[in-house]
């Protein structure tokens, strides 16, 4: 689990949980299994689950399977439903 409780800009890719704490301010690209926002996020999110708590703000584009927004939480941007895992199998017969 990664817990952000300060200012951070950049790209974060995690196979676990990322929590943006009450004093957290994250800008950039964030990919994780689960994301919990109680601070501020601006940018692009891709996750299986996103929770925006009552003190959380998300500005940007999200691709998610499940979303939860508590009273007082704010989301401003676009959202798309994340599809299941797609595997590409290429048949490369050289004759």
């Amino acid at each position: 689990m990664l817990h952000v409780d300060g200012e951070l800009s950049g790209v974060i890719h995690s196979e676990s949980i990322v929590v943006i704490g009450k004093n957290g301010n994250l800008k950039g690209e964030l990919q994780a299994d689960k994301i919990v926002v109680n601070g501020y996020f601006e940018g692009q999110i891709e996750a299986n689950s996103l929770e925006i708590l009552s003190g959380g703000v998300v500005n940007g584009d999200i691709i998610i399977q499940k979303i939860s927004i508590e009273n007082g939480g704010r989301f401003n941007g676009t959202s798309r439903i994340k599809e299941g895992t797609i595997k590409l199998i290429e048949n490369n017969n050289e004759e």
Side-chain angles (χ1 to χ4, degrees):
M1 180 172 94
L2 172 66
H3 187 99
V4 178
D5 222 359
E7 289 192 28
L8 186 63
S9 294
V11 177
I12 296 174
H13 292 239
S14 173
E15 294 180 5
S16 186
I17 300 170
V18 176
V19 176
I20 300 174
K22 196 167 198 135
N23 298 316
N25 185 334
L26 180 59
K27 294 180 182 179
E29 178 183 311
L30 178 54
Q31 287 184 352
D33 179 48
K34 180 177 181 179
I35 299 169
V36 179
V37 180
N38 196 23
Y40 179 83
F41 177 84
E42 182 177 329
Q44 297 176 337
I45 286 179
E46 184 172 343
N48 291 322
S49 174
L50 172 63
E51 290 181 37
I52 303 173
L53 303 180
S54 62
V57 177
V58 173
N59 287 321
D61 303 323
I62 61 173
I63 302 171
I64 43 122
Q65 284 183 338
K66 296 183 270 183
I67 185 169
S68 169
I69 304 174
E70 287 185 353
N71 283 340
R74 293 181 291 175
F75 169 64
N76 182 33
T78 62
S79 64
R80 289 190 334 203
I81 296 173
K82 182 178 180 181
E83 300 297 329
T85 304
I86 298 172
K87 292 185 179 180
L88 177 63
I89 299 174
E90 213 173 278
N91 189 358
N92 197 4
N93 291 333
E94 293 182 18
E95 297 178 13

